[in-house]
Amino acid sequence: MGLLRIMMPPKLQLLAVVAFAVAMLFLENQIQKLEESRSKLERAIARHEVREIEQRHTMDGPRQDAALDAEEDMVIIYNRVPKTASTSFTNIAYDLCAKNKYHVLHINTTKNNPVMSLQDQVRFVKNITSWKEMKPGFYHGHVSYLDFTKFGVKRKPIYINVIRDPIERLVSYYYFLRFGDDYRPGLRRRKQGDKKTFDECVAEGGSDCAPEKLWLQIPFFCGHSSECWNVGSRWAMDQAKYNLINEYFLVGVTEELEDFIMLLEAALPRFFRGATELYRTGKKSHLRKTTEKKLPTKQTIAKLQQSDIWKMENEFYEFALEQFQFIRAHAVREKDGDLYILAQNFFYEKIYPKSS
């Protein structure tokens, strides 16, 4: 007798394959859920161990909450560069200060001079560090970076800032001096009455649109050293880059201001809780806009871009943009075109000695 072969109809074979595939997907899904449950359990155990240790320290004796004190002692300095959407951002700080319980103070320097005298530097540092009634505090003003460590300060303030494409910033400032903005439309500006366009100014070689006027963001980040304000100084640009990386908590760009605000809210909620929603929906988010501004022609832009000063300021801007995008890439995820802040991606475990 030959072997009896049982042949399954093609439809049953297809159903068997589909059933097997579904079973495998179900098993993979269950395994993934088990892995997620295990991860959650490990995190819960770790959090429990941390709480136990914190409670044990509390029971050992009265201890001041250092973390809480640090938050209440926090000072942020926003040494804002002119015409980088700084008023729009500062308005958010003012709108949130009562709700989030911190103080906002404007640093108003004579004639908007960004360089302080040595004696004013000492006064400013003393105010910032010892004015307890104004803590936590958010200070903002057109002042170049000041190194607090030179004055023997143990706890430095947190520096933040926003910069802008250098030509766009200069064009905005040029028309602002002539026509003002919609923030204070009745205020007479220094160059009011001058109807010359930015293109005409560049074509005629005017002083208000000269490449030297681009030299502003680098010295603002470089600081109070004389070399910072030497136009075209390579040392100044290198120092500005160093400070941006090592002395600034976060530097955003005008073109991506909402993402800058989102990152600040995630990292410093003591000050910026609610800032992102306020920026998206608030009436003051885009309040200040320079009036009568005309975009420069390609010929004008090309002429400015021939300057070594533009090349340095643009290099600094690109450097800041790359750093900001790097920070953002590690802090958010994108879904359906929107950005979402990532949840905490680390936890503590294997904590010894174990509590008895």
Side-chain angles (χ1 to χ4, degrees), residues 47-103:
R47 286 195 297 268
H48 178 70
E49 289 180 341
V50 171
R51 281 197 297 268
E52 278 193 336
I53 291 173
E54 289 175 343
Q55 289 172 3
R56 189 163 68 247
H57 277 285
T58 303
M59 291 174 64
D60 287 343
R63 190 171 62 92
Q64 202 170 16
D65 192 333
L68 181 61
D69 283 350
E71 276 200 343
E72 297 309 305
D73 195 48
M74 190 181 294
V75 171
I76 293 176
I77 296 180
Y78 172 34
N79 64 316
R80 43 196 282 199
V81 180
K83 304 314 295 176
T84 56
S86 60
T87 299
S88 298
F89 175 61
T90 304
N91 279 333
I92 292 175
Y94 276 111
D95 287 345
L96 290 174
C97 65
K99 180 181 177 182
N100 290 346
K101 294 181 171 56
Y102 62 87
H103 300 275

Side-chain angles (χ1 to χ4, degrees), residues 14 22 42-43 102 121 123 130 150 160 164 195 201 232 236-238 240 277 296 333 354:
L14 180 61
V22 170
E42 286 178 346
R43 290 171 182 261
Y102 62 87
Q121 292 178 41
R123 294 184 187 109
S130 61
K150 291 171 60 176
I160 62 172
R164 187 177 185 178
K195 305 293 185 182
C201 178
M237 186 179 71
D238 291 341
E277 185 65 20
R333 64 181 176 85
K354 298 293 184 179

Side-chain angles (χ1 to χ4, degrees), residues 78-87 89 141-145 159-170 172 214-222 237 240-245 248 250-261 264 279 310-325:
Y78 172 34
N79 64 316
R80 43 196 282 199
V81 180
K83 304 314 295 176
T84 56
S86 60
T87 299
F89 175 61
H142 297 313
V143 182
S144 60
Y145 169 77
Y159 268 94
I160 62 172
N161 216 327
V162 177
I163 68 171
R164 187 177 185 178
D165 175 276
I167 291 180
E168 289 183 7
R169 193 206 64 79
L170 180 59
S172 182
L214 291 166
W215 190 259
L216 190 67
Q217 299 187 129
I218 285 175
F220 256 73
F221 278 80
C222 179
M237 186 179 71
K241 286 181 177 180
Y242 176 88
N243 288 342
L244 186 148
I245 295 296
Y248 279 79
L250 184 66
V251 176
V253 293
T254 303
E255 296 79 4
E256 298 173 13
L257 188 60
E258 182 177 326
D259 295 351
F260 171 71
I261 293 169
L264 283 177
Y279 178 79
W310 172 82
K311 291 174 184 176
M312 294 179 72
E313 276 280 346
N314 191 65
E315 180 182 335
F316 179 68
Y317 169 76
E318 294 289 344
F319 178 83
L321 177 61
E322 182 180 0
Q323 175 67 8
F324 174 71
Q325 291 177 340

Side-chain angles (χ1 to χ4, degrees), residues 254-319:
T254 303
E255 296 79 4
E256 298 173 13
L257 188 60
E258 182 177 326
D259 295 351
F260 171 71
I261 293 169
M262 182 188 296
L263 290 175
L264 283 177
E265 180 173 358
L268 299 173
R270 176 66 182 79
F271 283 80
F272 299 105
R273 184 178 290 107
T276 308
E277 185 65 20
L278 183 62
Y279 178 79
R280 290 171 177 168
T281 61
K283 293 180 180 179
K284 295 184 179 180
S285 298
H286 306 283
L287 180 61
R288 194 167 196 170
K289 293 182 180 178
T290 302
T291 54
E292 302 291 331
K293 184 168 65 176
K294 296 178 177 64
L295 296 177
T297 63
K298 291 181 179 179
Q299 291 81 2
T300 297
I301 293 173
K303 186 173 182 179
L304 285 173
Q305 288 177 342
Q306 293 173 5
S307 161
D308 288 338
I309 298 169
W310 172 82
K311 291 174 184 176
M312 294 179 72
E313 276 280 346
N314 191 65
E315 180 182 335
F316 179 68
Y317 169 76
E318 294 289 344
F319 178 83

Side-chain angles (χ1 to χ4, degrees), residues 208-236:
D208 283 350
C209 56
E212 288 77 12
K213 294 294 183 180
L214 291 166
W215 190 259
L216 190 67
Q217 299 187 129
I218 285 175
F220 256 73
F221 278 80
C222 179
H224 277 68
S225 300
S226 62
E227 188 65 18
C228 295
W229 297 89
N230 285 340
V231 178
S233 167
R234 172 65 58 174
W235 181 91

